[in-house]
Amino acid sequence: MNELVRQHTALGESDLEWLHLLVSEWQLLSDLSFADLVLWVPTRDGTRYVSVAQMRPNTGPTSYQDDMVGHLVPRGRRPLLDAALDEGRIVREGDPEWREEVPVRVESIPVRREGRILGVIARNTNLLTVRTPSRLELSYLQSASDLAQMIAAGTFPFPGQQVDMDASPRVGDGLIRLDADGLVQYASPNALSAYHRLGLASDLVGQHLGRATDQLAPARGPVDEAMVKLASGYAPRETEVEGNGGVIQLRTIPLKPKGTRIGSLVLLRDVTELRRRERELITKDATIREIHHRVKNNLQTVAALLRLQARRMDSVRGREALNEAVRRVGSIAIVHETLSQNLDERVEFDEIADRVLAMVAEISPGKILCRRTGRFGILDAEVATPLSMVLTEILQNALEHAFAPGEEGRVDVSAIRSGDSPAKKQRRTGVPGASGTRLMITVQDDGRGLPEGFDPQRAGNLGLQIVRTLVEGELGGTFDMVPAPVRGTRVLLDIPVEPQK
């Protein structure tokens, strides 16, 4: 719609925002009217109309099988559009049109904002299934007529009341019509069933909806507005009401077709099961977070025991081995601590990498500067846990073997996320498919470098064996150690990761 309006019309940005607000609401008008809606806006030169939006009803058959958005029609071809635009009134005159052997009644509703006509809504009703309307259909059509008059007067939609079309109740979910005093004139079967879920034992018609709702679901704690007033429809509001084990979502729409409030529409939906499942998920999330918290505490206890045991060791090698184990356990504990603070099994790994750097730097034999550049980004827990151990082992190996005691040096960790094209991925893996995301990690020091004849795929201590196993076996990546361009050693990791969400 933005592109069509800016390309073909003279409407400003504030007018465009009004049209967006209208389109966010007009599913309501379409469903109440049992009709298709097409929004036509006059072009910049005034000789044509361009259709910028279209809506089909959920309550009846469509009048348009084709998409009308983007169509241009010259002025004069559709007289009802011309009359509504020129006269600023709803136009219903004329005989039904025949489209593919289907009779269609066409009406035109001017869209007014601050006294100006921005465009015209063509309301197209399929008459093929017309029958004697029921009370529900009559209530729908009367409400649609009131809303159409409000659109023509510029009082609907309500400014500042942007509606989430996916979350807000719809006409078919349940509808109640109130008079000016808040008394129920009509309640659809779905609306009545929703109130029965709250504990209502009688009919709704004739009752004051605000007082009835307040009795069924009294407020729990402080509220911005009293339930009696909120459910009476004096202002456009949306809220949830809970009582008797049931939860219903309410949306109130004041009806002011001629400037004076004559009543209200109340849309409602029974969301009891939806809220129950959400609470179960919240409980599950809380349980998972508590598990991560307890695992972190247990790992810290294990690390403390290992540290205590290391202090009592007489053997230097045994003490060093226990201290290495403390750092390995600590790196895993950091991941679980981060997971205990999240609602999903994904973590921001940059924070973890910084904490691992700080933890390993404590064992530095000299004045070694550790620095991170680039971003690891968000990683799944099954990647973050082994990667934290890998990073710990590589850094620990660099600090222990690259520098002499008291020597000054530097260790740089860089991370780059990059995407493979499908062709590149097929060349690399031999498997065709969608593009993938890779995490390229480089750990480089300016220490003494690799021993002559060193083979990183075969040689090395326990730490390097752990790195190879985790990177190639668990993470499905590649690992290599090569001499740095000037001095020292460069460790290269290439790991597949899921794209960030």
Side-chain angles (χ1 to χ4, degrees), residues 333-487:
I334 291 173
V335 176
H336 282 281
E337 182 180 1
T338 306
L339 288 169
S340 70
Q341 300 169 2
N342 294 339
L343 291 177
D344 56 12
E345 292 292 291
R346 295 169 66 81
V347 297
E348 178 62 63
F349 196 80
D350 295 318
E351 178 185 350
I352 294 174
D354 291 340
R355 293 181 62 180
V356 168
L357 276 168
M359 179 182 67
V360 176
E362 294 177 0
I363 68 165
S364 171
K367 298 179 180 179
I368 309 301
L369 174 63
C370 297
R371 189 182 67 169
R372 173 182 65 86
T373 58
R375 292 192 67 248
F376 288 84
I378 298 174
L379 300 177
D380 291 332
E382 56 264 29
V383 175
T385 301
L387 183 57
S388 67
M389 284 197 66
V390 167
L391 191 58
T392 301
E393 296 297 335
I394 294 174
L395 290 170
Q396 186 171 285
N397 187 73
L399 293 176
E400 286 184 355
H401 301 290
F403 305 99
E407 184 180 3
E408 294 185 1
R410 179 170 174 171
V411 178
D412 290 316
V413 178
S414 67
I416 300 174
R417 295 179 79 118
S418 62
D420 283 356
S421 66
K424 182 178 178 182
K425 181 180 179 182
Q426 184 171 355
R427 288 196 302 269
R428 179 173 52 79
T429 64
V431 179
S435 60
T437 302
R438 314 288 299 181
L439 181 58
M440 317 294 291
I441 304 169
T442 304
V443 180
Q444 181 170 316
D445 63 69
D446 59 355
R448 66 187 63 164
L450 295 172
E452 187 175 349
F454 180 81
D455 183 0
Q457 303 304 325
R458 295 181 179 274
N461 54 21
L462 175 62
L464 289 182
Q465 292 176 25
I466 291 174
V467 170
R468 285 196 297 267
T469 301
L470 291 178
V471 171
E472 297 172 0
E474 191 161 342
L475 294 174
T478 61
F479 160 74
D480 198 8
M481 296 179 70
V482 298
V486 178
R487 183 171 184 268

Side-chain angles (χ1 to χ4, degrees), residues 11 14-15 18 84-89 110-119 149-156 159:
L11 297 183
S14 59
D15 295 329
W18 183 263
L85 183 68
D86 296 339
E87 302 173 22
R89 65 180 180 89
V111 177
R112 191 185 305 269
R113 175 180 178 266
E114 298 179 351
R116 297 183 300 112
I117 306 299
L118 306 184
Q149 291 182 57
M150 291 171 65
I151 291 173
T155 57
F156 186 83

Side-chain angles (χ1 to χ4, degrees), residues 12-128:
E13 290 300 316
S14 59
D15 295 329
L16 181 57
E17 286 301 316
W18 183 263
L19 295 184
H20 274 292
L21 189 61
L22 172 65
V23 168
S24 74
E25 292 274 22
W26 72 342
Q27 180 72 65
L28 173 62
L29 178 63
S30 178
D31 289 346
L32 289 172
S33 304
F34 308 98
D36 291 72
L37 305 178
V38 180
L39 177 57
W40 297 92
V41 179
T43 57
R44 191 174 287 103
D45 58 9
T47 62
R48 295 179 296 175
Y49 298 95
V50 58
S51 58
V52 299
Q54 179 179 359
M55 178 60 65
R56 294 184 174 89
N58 294 318
T59 52
T62 183
S63 302
Y64 285 111
Q65 298 298 328
D66 299 327
D67 187 3
M68 295 296 297
V69 175
H71 283 215
L72 290 162
V73 297
R75 184 177 172 88
R77 179 175 295 179
R78 303 196 177 187
L80 296 186
L81 294 181
D82 298 339
L85 183 68
D86 296 339
E87 302 173 22
R89 65 180 180 89
I90 299 175
V91 182
R92 296 189 176 92
E93 298 87 354
D95 297 326
E97 298 180 3
W98 287 84
R99 300 175 188 162
E100 299 180 357
E101 300 183 354
V102 176
V104 177
R105 182 175 64 243
V106 182
E107 305 167 81
S108 295
I109 305 166
V111 177
R112 191 185 305 269
R113 175 180 178 266
E114 298 179 351
R116 297 183 300 112
I117 306 299
L118 306 184
V120 179
I121 295 176
R123 182 163 55 178
N124 304 267
T125 307
N126 188 324
L127 301 178
L128 195 61

